[in-house]
Amino acid sequence: MSEFDGVIVGGGHNGLTCAAYLAKAGLSVAVVERNDVAGGGCSTQELTLPGFRHNTHSSYHFLEEGPVPGDLELRRHGLRYVYPETQHATIFRDGRAITVYTDPKRTAESFARFSKADADRWLELYERYAEAARGLMNGFLYSAPLPPPVLAERLGGDLGRDLLSYMPLSLYEAVDRNFESDQVRVLFKSFLHAISIENVPGTGGFLPRLLSRIARLGVPVGGAANVASALRAVIEEHGGTVLTGSHVERILVDDGRATGVRLAGGDVLSARRFVASAVDAPQTVRLAGPENFGEEIVSKIEGYRWAGHSLVTLHLALEEAPRYRAAEFEPDVDRAFLVVLGADDSEQLGRTFDRIHEGRLPDRLAGNGACPSLFDPSYAPDGKHVAFWWPWAPYDLDGDPANWDAQREEVGERLLAEWAEYAPNLARGAVLGSRVFSPLDIERHCVNMVRGSHHVGAYEPSQLGGNRPVPEMGRYRTPVDGLYLCGASSHPGGSVSAAPGYNGANAIAEDLELATWWTPVPAPRWSE
């Protein structure tokens, strides 16, 4: 079959989500993915040794906070999550640590060892954003972005005013205005950096979003690839097609309307009603032809900014899980899901990113990691473990991304040595195998993660909300009739939320006047 109601370009989890909703609505859809396995950032591979399974990109998910798993019955198709009781640990060189739990009161007890005021403030913020405003935060993610003046009109009451007050702040300003202990501050700043946010004005609004989900991260059972396999099962159950190992060479446009795609090799897939692109917006414009978008939009798209930092990951196959020195201060460190190490204070964290922006590795590497096999033994053979640490890093290492390949062994040795300072057993025979996954590897595996931009574009005011990717295409529609966006270069960006794919499906359903079988998430509003 080569004719469909719609064709989706890109088989990452957002493209699969968009296709699954529309296939279940009765449309015939085809997803085209250039890699041999669909999933994009939801990828699990045996990178080190046979039987040791590593998530190559995403590993911390809050997918079940949104509507997608329930709407699409992904549990019925094998998707499961485990939610560790000890969600996070931030470890310092002096042997101390801060832990975040699913129980906010236990988190407050950990904060209180550093600052009683910060413990009290944490409980206030958790009640406000993780409990009272939980539905509101979903509204921000799972609906089309609203212009700032409209949003301001819809957010009233003390909570609405408080939320809006974060919008002009930088990442560090938002954190510093709430917490006094620099260790607690580093915890939040590090987590925000981990989701690709830079310390620039206009990013402060990410703090309330983080607070709404910081204690709800899940381990995908069997690996992140199971997100993609469950979504693919929904598509195929409803008659859809997923083509892998197939590269879209051109999005076909006839008289201003998207009519299908041409694959490398010449095959054509016709689209009677729509084409949706889950790849990045600049790539989409190139595929559909810049001449179809107008000079102004093309100029803005050419200026689309990629993230100012990337990640370099050390994946390990282990005889035993990492055992951290900080467990003497806080035993739950060894049972934490997300572990942050490498930065002791805000000044050092700032220097880390200064060096990265200069194209150099920091003097001391810093970032987050995990040992997923602590919570799901299927990641490794019986009794063994897998772990990773992905410090922040530049794409252009010493001015040239090719240096990542040339220095792979050297970088891997340094990563392990610095990690072992915190977990000494990693230097005493626990490591069975290792693999460095560089910013260049990120881009090779996911071509829309340009320059190792793992959230598919920078988070800065000019690329947030309805400005993402550019204002003229900020609501999932493009100037080309029938051509839509549904990938992470659209609002709300990259992470395993499936929100861009969900929102893209809503835009298509609205324009095609489909009778939606799902109940769309309402746009954000607060008046109490």
Side-chain angles (χ1 to χ4, degrees), residues 41 182 196 260 270 298 331 361 381 435:
D182 205 33
S196 199
S270 298
V298 170
L361 280 177
R435 168 76 176 274

Side-chain angles (χ1 to χ4, degrees), residues 106-127:
R106 292 188 66 190
T107 303
E109 292 169 1
S110 180
F111 282 19
R113 300 177 76 175
F114 295 82
S115 165
K116 178 63 166 60
D118 287 354
D120 293 340
R121 183 59 174 160
W122 155 258
L123 290 173
E124 293 174 8
L125 291 170
Y126 187 89
E127 190 282 329

Side-chain angles (χ1 to χ4, degrees), residues 171-173 175-176 182 184-194 197 210 346 349 353 392:
L171 183 161
Y172 287 11
E173 288 171 340
V175 174
D176 289 351
D182 205 33
V184 175
R185 288 174 171 179
V186 165
L187 181 155
F188 286 101
K189 292 172 183 177
S190 295
F191 198 106
L192 288 162
H193 279 309
I197 302 167
L210 169 63
S346 295
L349 196 60
F353 284 92
W392 304 296

